[in-house]
Amino acid sequence: MKHTALALALFATMLTGCGDDGTNGRNGVDGQNGTNGANGQNGTNGQSTLVQQIHLDMGDQRCLLGGLQIHSGLDNDANGNLDTAEIKQTSHLCHPHTFASVGVALPYSI
């Protein structure tokens, strides 16, 4: 009989454990941050951008009244000079003249 009562008590305890879960408790406080890892290796140096300005005399076919020709690009060989093969963009800055402001057509286009 003792074994039967013990078995019944154990069975009743197991049945009460099969109910719905209760609500979760509050979150605890975050722990301390860990130590930082070692620094990585430095990257390779980047390339320099160079700009070259060339004076254009009056009468030049690109700028009738003179101006500047501006080349730009990366210094791929790191020699400090903008070589012809390194030029990626060229633009022209032409000197204005008063007749351009009154609507006279210029003999060239930009």
Side-chain angles (χ1 to χ4, degrees), residues 81-101:
N81 295 315
L82 186 61
D83 301 320
T84 303
E86 296 171 333
I87 295 172
K88 296 298 178 203
Q89 183 175 1
T90 298
S91 57
H92 297 91
L93 179 62
C94 299
H95 294 301
H97 192 276
T98 55
F99 64 79
S101 64

Side-chain angles (χ1 to χ4, degrees), residues 71-85:
H71 298 300
S72 61
L74 294 177
D75 188 13
N76 294 325
D77 58 8
N79 68 354
N81 295 315
L82 186 61
D83 301 320
T84 303

Side-chain angles (χ1 to χ4, degrees), residues 54-70 91-100 106-110:
I54 300 170
H55 175 77
L56 299 174
D57 291 325
M58 186 179 284
D60 186 277
Q61 65 181 5
R62 294 161 289 201
C63 289
L64 184 64
L65 301 175
L68 290 174
Q69 180 172 325
I70 304 166
S91 57
H92 297 91
L93 179 62
C94 299
H95 294 301
H97 192 276
T98 55
F99 64 79
L106 299 174
Y108 64 92
S109 60
I110 298 175

Side-chain angles (χ1 to χ4, degrees), residues 19-32:
D20 293 333
D21 287 342
T23 58
N24 291 335
R26 289 181 287 141
N27 288 335
V29 178
D30 289 341
Q32 291 181 337

